[in-house]
Amino acid sequence: MTSPKGSQAQKLKLPTITRKGTLEVPSPTEEDWSKDDEEDWVFKGPDQEQDSLPQPYRMINKLVNFLFDHSWEIIEEREASRKAELSCIQPTIYPPLLESKLNKMPNCMAISQDYVFIGGTKGFSIYNLYNAKRIYVWEKLKVDVTSIWATDLGSEILIASVDEMGIIRLFYFYKDGLYLIKAINEADDTSKQTTCIKMEISEGGDFAAFLLQGAGDIWLDVYKLPKESWLKEVEHPQLTINPKKKVRQLQLNTLDPVTADNLETDINISFRGDVKLSLPVYIMKIKPPKPVAGTTFKSPLEVFAKIEDCCGLGSGQNHFIKDSQWEQQAAIFNATFKKYLDGEWEEEPLSMATFHFLLPSCIIAMPVEVKSPPGVACVIGVHWTGSHNFFLYSLNRTLKDKADPEGVWPCAAPIAVSQLSGCYSYLVLACEDGVLTLWDLAEGLSLGVIALPERCLCQSIHFLKYFLVHKGQNMYPEGPVKSRMKCVVLCTDASLHLVAATGTQRPTLSVLVERPVKHLDEAICAVAPVQALPGMVLIFSSNGSVHLMDVAKPQIVCAFAPPRSYHLVVPWKPVFGVSLHHPCFLLRGDHPDEIGSASQAEDIPNSIFYFNFEAYPLLEQISRNCTIPQANVLDDTTFPQVLPLEERCENFFQKR
């Protein structure tokens, strides 16, 4: 986009001789002059010389050239990625084994025993895990259910659902009966209605905790659940039941029947609204810790008298720093960082809590008179947003007792994420500086401290059942394993890491998936361990893909996908459920062709897809043969350290 220089006014135009490249100062010595100097000059005609364009055409020329260059870079990048995809080995994609078509959009799901509980419009439904048959529907609400939990109590199941108003309801599912226990936070006055944000049920269903929010405040309510009374009340109903009340019977959908061995299809479930079960017992209300302020003590002796029983030691509340000292430090800080503090400050959001029920352990200090039966939670551990402390509260108390912590575990930085293992033996505390602290609660020792790579912050932690690599295959060791844990850590930059700790040895960190740089649609948004397959996790990506990864290799084993006519409407927040006791997982899929034509979200055709690992040849043998006998562990020289110290010593002396 240039114009030749020439006009009618300039009739005479002499040829020009132009030097190639940039001009340089010649050397003063003639011997250093170039012999091929004539080749450095080029002859140009007068009509070939060009001028630069005037504005705005010069700017337009730069923009056009930039667009062409940028487009060419994109073309080259896409071509390189296409060649890379063709050269790499694509994983095997397995279709679902069963499909359960739903009339309304499911918002959440939970799996317990042989049942699937799906929350949706005005209630929830119960499905059979084996044949995808709907066996009961409970729809008595005016709003949708947004979250649902199911806890195995042995022969019974405790169900907890939260609706759009934040009201949480507890249900008791026993044999062929569904019982409503209580709506925990339902209020007659809507202005006093509180919202349930999070909940947790202890191992065995002895306790439950609910994080509630209302009137600009937030707190944690803890209840004791009378599960023994529930069992007696449903097995021997009281004679005061109103016989005039009608019982809602089973409702089945019209799915095609699927034959399976030893499959119970004639399940008659009824809602027993006429049976009143014992209510949960309210035992404790936990509020966020107060900000550290000036002391109210008059002498150091009062401080020591306050903490002589070691309760609350380390929380920072019992100190001897006066208000004047705090004000002096605040003034120095504001003066030093004044240029950074000027401007508008946003209002800080309410502090959120993360909490876990902990079993009795020698690492948890409890009063001598308190004796908890084995396998029953005795302490609830809580940490709040922005707090350095992990508070421990005893569950052996009543509502009249003051809710003070029995113990405090301070950390060097605010705790961002915490996770308790499924066996309740290991705890990981991840701080905002990327440092992870690993605890063995069962043995009462620390497994070490390890830091994530620079600029990696923890988003979620997922424990794996401890496994060994035997002859190239991941295997679960037979018998108990002590002081050994493995977990995967998903970071905020979508990178995935494997953390392993063994006794007193230093924990190790390995990268499973790097942070995506070019293909952001491949960023990991969710991770779920697969209990039926040792050392394997399901990875859900933002583009809707679902892969199975072997963390020991690490490499992708296979992929799972619904039929082509379905996809994930919200791929960065997939609705799925993985069974802890069965080799299967469930995934919600939506029909894209009818999304635009549907007037409401609830009218969109949806399906729940069932993937059974044992139905696929590549995974069948892994699922069926996933345990290594203890004799093989003893024979292999690389595995003896897995056994407890007592067994290792006994085996050593037997060989001697």
Side-chain angles (χ1 to χ4, degrees):
M1 299 180 67
T2 56
S3 60
K5 182 181 178 183
S7 64
Q8 296 295 332
Q10 296 176 341
K11 297 288 181 76
L12 298 176
K13 203 74 165 154
L14 297 177
T16 59
I17 300 176
T18 308
R19 187 182 181 93
K20 294 182 180 179
T22 58
L23 295 177
E24 298 178 356
V25 178
S27 173
T29 306
E30 187 177 356
E31 297 178 354
D32 297 334
W33 291 358
S34 174
K35 304 295 183 181
D36 303 328
D37 188 60
E38 296 181 357
E39 297 181 1
D40 295 338
W41 300 86
V42 62
F43 179 82
K44 285 187 177 181
D47 297 332
Q48 293 179 347
E49 190 173 358
Q50 297 176 339
D51 273 345
S52 60
L53 291 172
Q55 293 287 13
Y57 302 105
R58 190 162 64 248
M59 181 186 67
I60 297 174
N61 181 42
K62 290 182 178 180
L63 289 176
V64 172
N65 290 335
F66 172 76
L67 289 176
F68 274 107
D69 294 340
H70 187 61
S71 301
W72 186 251
E73 290 178 359
I74 294 177
I75 292 173
E76 289 181 337
E77 181 181 346
R78 291 182 177 179
E79 183 66 18
S81 62
R82 187 183 66 84
K83 291 181 179 179
E85 290 178 359
L86 294 176
S87 61
C88 68
I89 301 176
Q90 296 294 331
T92 305
I93 301 178
Y94 290 118
L97 182 65
L98 295 174
E99 176 185 358
S100 178
K101 294 185 177 180
L102 308 178
N103 304 336
K104 303 172 184 178
M105 176 178 290
N107 299 322
C108 51
M109 69 174 68
I111 302 176
S112 182
Q113 295 184 9
D114 301 334
Y115 302 97
V116 182
F117 304 90
I118 300 177
T121 306
K122 299 181 180 180
F124 62 90
S125 304
I126 304 176
Y127 285 77
N128 190 300
L129 181 61
Y130 296 103
N131 63 352
K133 270 187 172 294
R134 188 174 65 181
I135 56 180
Y136 186 72
V137 178
W138 187 85
E139 293 180 349
K140 292 180 176 290
L141 305 178
K142 296 181 180 180
V143 292
D144 296 351
V145 171
T146 57
S147 302
I148 192 167
W149 293 267
T151 303
D152 187 0
L153 303 182
S155 58
E156 323 95 76
I157 299 176
L158 181 62
I159 308 167
S161 65
V162 179
D163 60 23
E164 292 178 321
M165 300 298 293
I167 300 176
I168 184 164
R169 294 174 175 85
L170 292 181
F171 295 86
Y172 190 74
F173 183 38
Y174 178 68
K175 292 183 179 179
D176 58 350
L178 181 65
Y179 307 84
L180 175 62
I181 300 173
K182 182 185 179 182
I184 297 295
N185 58 330
E186 188 174 19
D188 297 332
D189 188 357
T190 55
S191 61
K192 299 180 180 179
Q193 180 63 56
T194 59
T195 303
C196 180
I197 303 175
K198 193 185 298 184
M199 70 154 292
E200 190 77 27
I201 299 177
S202 68
E203 171 71 7
D206 296 282
F207 298 92
F210 309 98
L211 184 64
L212 303 178
Q213 178 182 352
D217 197 6
I218 190 169
W219 66 94
L220 184 66
D221 283 347
V222 184
Y223 290 82
K224 186 174 183 179
L225 305 179
K227 61 177 187 177
E228 292 82 6
S229 301
W230 293 341
L231 186 59
K232 294 178 182 179
E233 291 166 356
V234 298
E235 289 182 343
H236 307 285
Q238 298 178 2
L239 300 177
T240 57
I241 294 177
N242 187 358
K244 295 183 180 180
K245 275 195 173 183
K246 294 183 179 179
V247 179
R248 186 174 181 180
Q249 297 294 332
L250 167 73
Q251 295 182 5
L252 287 174
N253 62 353
T254 58
L255 288 177
D256 296 333
V258 180
T259 59
D261 297 337
N262 301 326
L263 187 63
E264 183 181 0
T265 57
D266 300 330
I267 304 176
N268 188 10
I269 297 177
S270 60
F271 178 67
R272 304 297 302 274
D274 53 346
V275 178
K276 302 299 181 182
L277 301 183
S278 299
L279 300 180
V281 180
Y282 188 27
I283 62 173
M284 183 170 33
K285 182 177 183 178
I286 303 174
K287 293 184 177 181
K290 297 178 181 179
V292 179
T295 182
T296 58
F297 301 112
K298 297 180 180 180
S299 67
L301 296 178
E302 295 184 11
V303 180
F304 290 112
K306 179 70 175 178
I307 60 175
E308 62 180 0
D309 56 352
C310 297
C311 291
L313 183 63
S315 63
Q317 298 292 336
N318 302 321
H319 58 82
F320 199 61
I321 303 175
K322 299 181 180 180
D323 286 327
S324 58
Q325 294 174 298
W326 285 114
E327 294 173 359
Q328 183 180 3
Q329 290 295 326
I332 295 174
F333 180 84
N334 293 333
T336 306
F337 302 99
K338 182 179 180 181
K339 62 179 181 179
Y340 301 104
L341 299 176
D342 292 340
E344 297 182 358
W345 286 80
E346 297 182 358
E347 185 179 355
E348 294 185 2
L350 287 175
S351 180
M352 299 292 292
T354 304
F355 43 95
H356 310 281
F357 288 100
L358 308 179
L359 299 180
S361 169
C362 57
I363 201 174
I364 300 174
M366 294 295 295
V368 180
E369 64 274 8
V370 176
K371 294 183 179 180
S372 299
V376 178
C378 65
V379 167
I380 181 172
V382 185
H383 68 86
W384 299 86
T385 304
S387 174
H388 293 63
N389 300 323
F390 187 71
F391 297 94
L392 302 175
Y393 297 85
S394 173
L395 296 173
N396 187 20
R397 68 175 76 218
T398 61
L399 191 59
K400 296 180 181 179
D401 300 331
K402 192 175 181 180
D404 288 334
E406 274 70 24
V408 181
W409 293 356
C411 296
I415 304 174
V417 181
S418 64
Q419 187 61 46
L420 185 66
S421 64
C423 61
Y424 292 80
S425 298
Y426 305 102
L427 175 69
V428 176
L429 301 178
C431 296
E432 292 182 358
D433 58 358
V435 176
L436 276 64
T437 305
L438 317 177
W439 290 97
D440 183 353
L441 302 178
E443 296 298 319
L445 55 89
S446 173
L447 294 177
V449 177
I450 193 168
L452 295 171
E454 188 177 1
R455 297 181 181 178
C456 283
L457 301 178
C458 178
Q459 177 179 332
S460 61
I461 303 171
H462 308 270
F463 276 93
L464 302 174
K465 186 178 178 180
Y466 190 80
F467 66 94
L468 303 170
V469 181
H470 180 63
K471 297 181 179 180
Q473 183 177 350
N474 301 341
M475 306 285 285
Y476 289 135
E478 194 177 41
V481 177
K482 294 184 179 181
S483 299
R484 296 179 182 276
M485 50 93 40
K486 292 183 180 181
C487 65
V488 290
V489 179
L490 178 62
C491 296
T492 53
D493 61 354
S495 62
L496 191 65
H497 306 265
L498 175 65
V499 178
T502 302
T504 57
Q505 298 180 10
R506 187 176 181 179
T508 60
L509 177 73
S510 57
V511 180
L512 300 178
V513 180
E514 295 280 358
R515 177 178 66 91
V517 179
K518 295 183 178 180
H519 307 286
L520 299 181
D521 59 338
E522 297 180 357
I524 301 175
C525 56
V527 176
V530 180
Q531 189 97 356
L533 303 175
M536 297 194 186
V537 295
L538 287 172
I539 296 178
F540 299 84
S541 303
S542 299
N543 56 9
S545 61
V546 182
H547 293 91
L548 182 67
M549 167 175 277
D550 184 351
V551 300
K553 302 276 194 261
Q555 65 181 16
I556 299 297
V557 178
C558 62
F560 304 95
R564 291 182 176 271
S565 57
Y566 288 84
H567 74 156
L568 305 182
V569 172
V570 190
W572 57 90
K573 193 177 180 181
V575 178
F576 66 94
V578 182
S579 177
L580 296 177
H581 307 288
H582 303 283
C584 64
F585 80 98
L586 283 66
L587 179 66
R588 189 192 82 180
D590 307 280
H591 204 294
D593 299 335
E594 303 184 30
I595 290 178
S597 60
S599 58
Q600 298 180 0
E602 60 184 23
D603 298 329
I604 300 175
N606 298 271
S607 292
I608 298 294
F609 297 99
Y610 292 67
F611 296 86
N612 192 324
F613 300 119
E614 293 184 351
Y616 309 119
L618 186 62
L619 306 176
E620 182 180 5
Q621 293 299 325
I622 300 177
S623 176
R624 296 183 184 276
N625 304 316
C626 61
T627 305
I628 178 172
Q630 190 171 0
N632 294 354
V633 175
L634 296 175
D635 294 339
D636 198 322
T637 57
T638 61
F639 295 155
Q641 69 275 12
V642 176
L643 299 176
L645 179 62
E646 296 81 1
E647 296 186 17
R648 288 159 57 185
C649 294
E650 182 179 353
N651 296 330
F652 174 77
F653 287 115
Q654 286 179 355
K655 291 181 180 180
R656 298 282 292 185

